[in-house]
Amino acid sequence: MAPTLAEPFADSSALTDFVINQGNGVKGLSEMGLRALPKRYIQPLEERMCMTNILAQETIPIIDMSNWEDPDVGKSICDAASKWGFFQIVNHAVPVEVLENVKDATYKFFGLPAEVKNKYSKDHSASNNVRFGTSFSPQAEKALEWKDYLSLFYVSEEEASALWPPVCRDQVLDYMKKSELVIKQLLQLLLKGLNVNEIDETKESLMMGSMRTNLNYYPICPNPELTVGVGRHSDVSTLTILLQDEIGGLFVRGNQGDNWIHIPPIKGSLVINVGDALQILSNGRYRSVEHRVVANGNKNRISVPIFVNPRPRDIIGPLPELIESGEKPIYKQVLYSDYVKHFFRKAHDGKKTVEFAEL
């Protein structure tokens, strides 16, 4: 039976076929003009955003990076990473046109026909390093998330040239390259805050030995209050560098109870958050914090995060300098690829992934 606007995809397998197998994604659902959200996207009550839990007066720190070697800037960044796990940076080294270009390229990729995007899906992509998909982990989720994405794991310029979609390849590479200086500045300041003053090649590759960029697309959603763009989670990265558009919708957990703080879009800014890997490496001094994205009933939204990670083969645990100075380790040594597999094996579930590394 064909889907109707009022009763879309009563049959779950027809929904899976349309959204996942044919590569239409939630963008395809959105463009049908559905009046009701398909049942597979209806989240349980406890996972929906309750507007009374939003702390309207609170905001995460906004830090000016124009004089990044100023000790006050370093202190602000370390304080934000300890207290909030999130902060925004302005006057950083990434040119605004690079940010605008990668946003345009994101719209161009998601504007491609479904059959073209589908060439990069799990079943058809020439490499695991290039993946077009939808939701988070559909095979593990009881309720799906209202998001499509293209995930690009950087191996080399040659591989990117050969395998990344031509419509966005150059813009994403430029964004990643131009962000590298800022990433190194941030890591240098954060390590200095742990009294780790020497960053040799081994430390650098442990902190930022691999990088992945996602292009995220959150289309207009019927009944946005019943679903999520992204469920509650913390990132598995060392750091995440997020470019968001002007629409808004990203919320971070506040410091008390079930309260959430909106991260307002600021033109030209980048949102920085601590990932689980840095929480583990810093022995809990820096915090990776839960965040989520709400669905939007009026506007399409995009975001472009760069996940700065250890390499899959790296062992992560509290930095030796911290243990040598007398700190008691609260995390064990874990193989980073095992940690990441554990994250992707399940639905988003808040901060539970980090328990995998706890002693």
Side-chain angles (χ1 to χ4, degrees):
M1 192 176 87
T4 66
L5 295 182
E7 184 49 51
F9 298 104
D11 175 1
S12 181
S13 63
L15 178 84
T16 301
D17 189 54
F18 179 82
V19 173
I20 298 175
N21 302 342
Q22 293 175 35
N24 288 291
V26 284
K27 182 173 187 281
L29 291 179
S30 177
E31 289 172 352
M32 289 173 69
L34 301 175
R35 289 197 208 106
L37 190 71
K39 287 191 177 70
R40 282 285 318 269
Y41 290 91
I42 297 176
Q43 295 283 335
L45 266 172
E46 64 274 13
E47 293 304 332
R48 300 178 206 166
M49 176 62 98
C50 177
M51 296 328 253
T52 56
N53 289 357
I54 294 169
L55 300 171
Q57 306 311 313
E58 289 267 28
T59 183
I60 63 164
I62 297 162
I63 298 170
D64 187 330
M65 289 285 285
S66 52
N67 189 11
W68 73 276
E69 292 178 293
D70 179 335
D72 289 345
V73 174
K75 184 177 185 311
S76 298
I77 285 169
C78 296
D79 287 351
S82 303
K83 183 183 176 187
W84 300 98
F86 267 80
F87 52 97
Q88 296 206 63
I89 57 171
V90 294
N91 298 322
H92 48 74
V94 188
V96 170
E97 61 268 24
V98 171
L99 304 181
E100 292 303 315
N101 288 345
V102 82
K103 284 197 276 191
D104 290 345
T106 300
Y107 273 112
K108 282 192 177 131
F109 174 78
F110 287 101
L112 293 170
E115 58 272 19
V116 177
K117 288 182 291 196
N118 208 24
K119 288 179 188 166
Y120 302 100
S121 69
K122 185 177 181 181
D123 291 341
H124 302 111
S125 181
S127 164
N128 278 339
N129 297 329
V130 181
R131 175 70 51 82
F132 166 64
T134 191
S135 193
F136 171 64
S137 196
Q139 67 286 355
E141 293 167 307
K142 289 190 177 73
L144 298 173
E145 301 179 349
W146 194 261
K147 178 188 88 167
D148 296 331
Y149 66 86
L150 175 69
S151 184
L152 301 165
F153 183 84
Y154 180 82
V155 174
S156 67
E157 193 101 15
E158 294 71 37
E159 182 179 285
S161 295
L163 299 178
W164 290 13
V167 73
C168 59
R169 174 187 60 218
D170 295 345
Q171 294 85 348
V172 174
L173 282 171
D174 197 28
Y175 171 49
M176 291 179 88
K177 274 187 210 143
K178 297 285 191 333
S179 298
E180 208 168 297
L181 176 62
V182 178
I183 292 163
K184 287 181 176 174
Q185 290 169 349
L186 291 167
L187 288 173
Q188 188 177 324
L189 294 170
L190 288 162
L191 285 172
K192 202 171 178 185
L194 302 173
N195 292 319
V196 178
N197 297 313
E198 283 301 310
I199 304 180
D200 56 16
E201 273 181 44
T202 309
K203 276 246 172 15
E204 190 171 290
S205 70
L206 178 65
M207 294 281 168
M208 55 180 292
S210 72
M211 289 197 204
R212 176 189 298 280
T213 298
N214 276 17
L215 310 185
N216 294 328
Y217 189 84
Y218 305 91
I220 292 169
C221 178
N223 317 115
E225 70 288 349
L226 300 180
T227 191
V228 295
V230 179
R232 299 176 303 110
H233 71 289
S234 60
D235 294 344
V236 292
S237 55
T238 306
L239 285 180
T240 302
I241 315 298
L242 176 78
L243 170 64
Q244 57 171 348
D245 66 11
E246 71 288 352
I247 307 300
L250 171 63
F251 288 82
V252 56
R253 189 184 277 283
N255 287 324
Q256 268 102 39
D258 191 25
N259 290 318
W260 295 85
I261 299 162
H262 185 235
I263 300 188
I266 300 170
K267 193 170 172 60
S269 76
L270 291 167
V271 179
I272 311 296
N273 66 279
V274 173
D276 291 355
L278 185 56
Q279 177 170 319
I280 292 164
L281 289 160
S282 71
N283 204 33
R285 296 241 217 126
Y286 299 137
R287 299 170 57 220
S288 72
V289 172
E290 270 180 82
H291 49 287
R292 68 202 307 185
V293 175
V294 297
N296 191 308
N298 305 307
K299 292 179 175 169
N300 301 317
R301 175 181 183 267
I302 58 165
S303 69
V304 190
I306 299 174
F307 300 103
V308 180
N309 308 310
R311 294 165 304 183
R313 65 177 180 275
D314 283 327
I315 305 286
I316 60 167
L319 290 167
E321 290 89 342
L322 301 177
I323 307 309
E324 284 158 16
S325 71
E327 275 191 36
K328 188 168 182 277
I330 54 176
Y331 301 106
K332 60 191 176 192
Q333 306 282 322
V334 294
L335 181 66
Y336 187 63
S337 61
D338 286 348
Y339 190 86
V340 173
K341 279 179 198 150
H342 177 65
F343 177 67
F344 282 107
R345 208 175 278 139
K346 56 194 175 44
H348 280 142
D349 57 1
K351 277 280 292 178
K352 287 190 181 163
T353 312
V354 84
E355 292 169 8
F356 182 79
E358 286 174 355
L359 279 170

